[in-house]
Amino acid sequence: ENAAFAEKCLFGVNVFASVLTPTMARAMVIVRGVPQTVLIAGYIIIQPLLGFESMLESVAVPSRGKFVPMCSAGTVLLNAITGIIIWDDWDVTNSHIAYICILLQILLSVYLLSDADFFKEQDKLARRASRRTFNSVISVKMLEPLDMIEEMEDDYEEGGKGSTYGSTDMHKLLE
C-alpha cells in the first residue's frame, strides 16, 4: 500500500510541476513587484522538487508503461483546466466543442499507447463469450459430417433404400 501511495504522490508532483512551471514562468513576465518575487521563489522551489521526483520515479515506479502515459494524460488535462481558468482559453477559442473533442482525442490517444487497461473485465467477458461461440461453431461443424455418415450407414444397413451408398451397381449410376 505504501508503494501505491508513493506512486500517487509522484504522479501528483509530476503533473502539478509540469503544469505549474510554464504557467509560473509566463506569469513572471506579466506581473511586477512582490507577486513576481513570489513566483520566482516558487519556481526556484519547484525545479529541484521536479528533479528529485524524477530520481524517485526511476526507482519507485514499477510500471513505466502505465505511469508515464497517465502522467501525460494528467498533464494534458490539468493544462487544459489551467488554460481555461487562468489564461482564459475559453474566451479566445472559436469552437468550444472542438476544444473538448481535441482534448478527448489526445486523452484517448495516450490511453491507446499505454499499458493501462480500464476495460479489462469487460474485455475478459467478451473474449470468453467469443471463445464459447467459436467452440459452439466448431462443435456444430464437427457434428455435421458425423450426421451425414450416420445417415449413410443407416441407408447402407437398410439395403440402400434412397441412397447409392454401398451399392455394387455403380454402372447404373454412370448411365
Side-chain angles (χ1 to χ4, degrees), residues 144-166:
E144 285 177 2
L146 291 176
D147 291 342
M148 288 175 46
I149 290 171
E150 287 174 0
E151 285 178 18
M152 294 167 83
E153 286 175 347
D154 290 345
D155 286 346
Y156 180 73
E157 289 171 3
E158 292 175 7
K161 295 177 187 171
S163 172
T164 56
Y165 180 76

Side-chain angles (χ1 to χ4, degrees), residues 22-65:
T23 301
M24 290 172 70
R26 184 174 175 193
M28 276 187 255
V29 177
I30 296 171
V31 296
R32 297 281 177 239
V34 175
Q36 187 180 34
T37 307
V38 171
L39 287 171
I40 291 171
Y43 191 85
I44 289 171
I45 292 170
I46 286 178
Q47 289 308 310
L49 184 65
L50 190 55
F52 185 65
E53 182 274 332
S54 296
M55 289 188 303
L56 286 176
E57 181 184 319
S58 66
V59 177
V61 175
S63 175
R64 307 279 300 159

Side-chain angles (χ1 to χ4, degrees), residues 129-147:
S130 67
R131 195 176 305 129
R132 274 190 245 121
T133 303
F134 178 74
N135 288 340
S136 299
V137 168
I138 294 298
S139 299
V140 169
K141 291 292 181 188
M142 297 283 278
L143 290 176
E144 285 177 2
L146 291 176
D147 291 342

Side-chain angles (χ1 to χ4, degrees), residues 81-137:
I81 292 168
T82 304
I84 290 169
I85 294 171
I86 295 175
W87 302 112
D88 294 327
D89 285 353
W90 204 250
D91 294 336
V92 296
T93 303
N94 292 332
S95 174
H96 296 96
I97 294 172
Y99 188 88
I100 292 169
C101 287
I102 288 173
L103 180 64
L104 288 174
Q105 186 178 16
I106 291 169
L107 292 174
L108 287 173
S109 299
V110 170
Y111 168 71
L112 288 173
L113 293 172
S114 74
D115 289 344
D117 195 3
F118 294 117
F119 307 106
K120 183 185 270 183
E121 194 62 36
Q122 292 158 342
D123 190 38
K124 277 184 188 176
L125 294 174
R127 270 191 267 136
R128 279 189 206 138
S130 67
R131 195 176 305 129
R132 274 190 245 121
T133 303
F134 178 74
N135 288 340
S136 299
V137 168

Side-chain angles (χ1 to χ4, degrees), residues 1-29:
E1 290 187 26
N2 289 337
F5 178 73
E7 193 171 348
K8 289 175 185 172
C9 288
L10 290 172
F11 171 79
V13 168
N14 185 315
V15 170
F16 280 101
S18 297
V19 173
L20 288 179
T21 302
T23 301
M24 290 172 70
R26 184 174 175 193
M28 276 187 255
V29 177

